[in-house]
Amino acid sequence: MGYITVESGVNLYFEDIGEGKPVLFLHGWPLNGRQFEYQTGVLPYYGFRCITIDFRGFGNSDNPWQGYNYDRMSDDVRNVIERLQLNEVTLAGFSMGGAVALRYMRRHAGSRISKLALLAAAAPSFTQKPGYPYGMKPEEVNKLIEQTFRDRPKMLAEFGKKFFASDVTPAFRQWFQSLGLQASLHGTVGGAAALRDEDMRADLAAVRVPTGIFHGKLDQICPYEFALELHKGIPGSLLYPFEKSGHAIFYDELERFNATFLQFISDRNRP
């Protein structure tokens, strides 16, 4: 664990666990890299090196006033990859992290990436746009931003209820909400604005590595239609539907997700 300077005065926190082929995890909004502990605690036993980062404004990373757009966040990812001298990376992005991963593939030509895993990705667009009728309306995200300014803990608690299709213990839910509380207020707002405004439809054609799309059919935050659009837009991609999972694709069907994800990154990638 440690910090990497991605621009003057901005340091990102990262954790680096295990040895072997690297898997770089990008977290979702409004969480941080700790959301993947049920993956990073298992995959090293199978010979994988797991790296998580906290995006700027989230978790233990610095909280600059600016930089909460996917171009800047994908530049941050590039800096981490280069500073850690990673090669043949599986880039695994959840929700907002999946959108940033797609922007990385276009903006940085997929540099050093050998596989892409999109986990309940907030893409091709998180909000409805002309020709794209899926997801939230921009006005609904504006309400989340308003709630963040007024009562961020309540917003996180209400938004968190939509994550899971499975029953989780009160203790787990409390821990999960604590991840969002570690973010800064302006980082939370900046990430929400990016979700509202960014559009990755033009990024899909830049993906030229084996891609796995992991998505829950019960997802209330990033509807399953997102996965179908990604599958259509990324030639040769593999779609892994999870019948009993909501947005929390990494936890709702934990054993099945870990086994399927391990199969994909181990080159035994059959849907």
Side-chain angles (χ1 to χ4, degrees):
M1 65 181 64
Y3 288 87
I4 291 174
T5 301
V6 293
E7 66 174 342
S8 179
V10 181
N11 302 291
L12 295 194
Y13 177 78
F14 75 95
E15 295 190 0
D16 192 343
I17 305 168
E19 298 178 350
K21 189 174 180 180
V23 184
L24 177 58
F25 290 94
L26 306 180
H27 67 82
W29 180 90
L31 307 171
N32 59 58
R34 286 284 183 178
Q35 75 161 93
F36 297 111
E37 68 174 50
Y38 294 95
Q39 286 72 50
T40 61
V42 173
L43 293 177
Y45 288 106
Y46 295 90
F48 289 93
R49 176 185 176 188
C50 296
I51 302 106
T52 62
I53 65 173
D54 293 350
F55 285 125
R56 57 175 60 210
F58 296 87
N60 292 313
S61 289
D62 287 346
N63 303 312
W65 184 247
Q66 296 178 327
Y68 301 97
N69 59 75
Y70 292 165
D71 282 356
R72 177 65 254 185
M73 294 165 79
S74 70
D75 291 350
D76 291 348
V77 173
R78 174 68 179 268
N79 279 319
V80 170
I81 289 174
E82 292 187 343
R83 285 288 301 279
L84 294 179
Q85 298 182 357
L86 304 178
N87 289 294
E88 295 296 306
V89 179
T90 294
L91 185 60
F94 168 76
S95 196
M96 181 181 74
V100 174
L102 283 169
R103 180 58 48 82
Y104 179 92
M105 299 304 292
R106 178 166 71 93
R107 186 170 172 83
H108 298 290
S111 176
R112 306 195 189 198
I113 305 301
S114 63
K115 283 191 175 184
L116 177 65
L118 300 173
L119 317 177
S125 173
F126 182 69
T127 56
Q128 298 176 19
K129 291 180 171 60
Y132 188 88
Y134 313 113
M136 291 186 182
K137 296 179 180 179
E139 296 78 20
E140 294 177 279
V141 180
N142 289 338
K143 289 182 181 179
L144 287 176
I145 292 173
E146 292 169 5
Q147 292 169 2
T148 300
F149 280 119
R150 186 170 56 252
D151 189 339
R152 187 163 66 98
K154 182 180 179 181
M155 181 280 293
L156 292 172
E158 292 177 349
F159 189 72
K161 292 177 182 177
K162 299 180 180 180
F163 260 76
F164 301 95
S166 59
D167 292 328
V168 296
T169 65
F172 184 93
R173 193 174 293 279
Q174 183 179 18
W175 167 79
F176 187 73
Q177 183 176 356
S178 75
L179 300 182
L181 289 170
Q182 292 176 43
S184 65
L185 186 147
H186 61 270
T188 303
V189 169
L195 285 166
R196 179 194 63 203
D197 299 337
E198 298 268 10
D199 189 341
M200 279 65 61
R201 284 178 288 180
D203 297 341
L204 303 187
V207 178
R208 296 184 177 89
V209 298
T211 300
I213 300 164
F214 300 73
H215 217 103
K217 286 198 169 182
L218 304 180
D219 197 328
Q220 297 183 55
I221 294 174
C222 293
Y224 188 68
E225 285 82 2
F226 286 17
L228 299 177
E229 291 296 306
L230 290 169
H231 187 42
K232 286 193 298 183
I234 302 176
S237 59
L238 298 172
L239 177 58
Y240 299 93
F242 288 76
E243 300 286 341
K244 300 178 182 179
S245 289
H247 194 50
I249 188 75
F250 58 92
Y251 192 78
D252 272 333
E253 296 175 77
L254 179 59
E255 291 79 8
R256 179 169 177 255
F257 173 80
N258 281 352
T260 307
F261 186 74
L262 180 61
Q263 180 187 58
F264 174 73
I265 64 177
S266 299
D267 296 319
R268 301 186 299 273
N269 49 342
R270 295 290 184 271

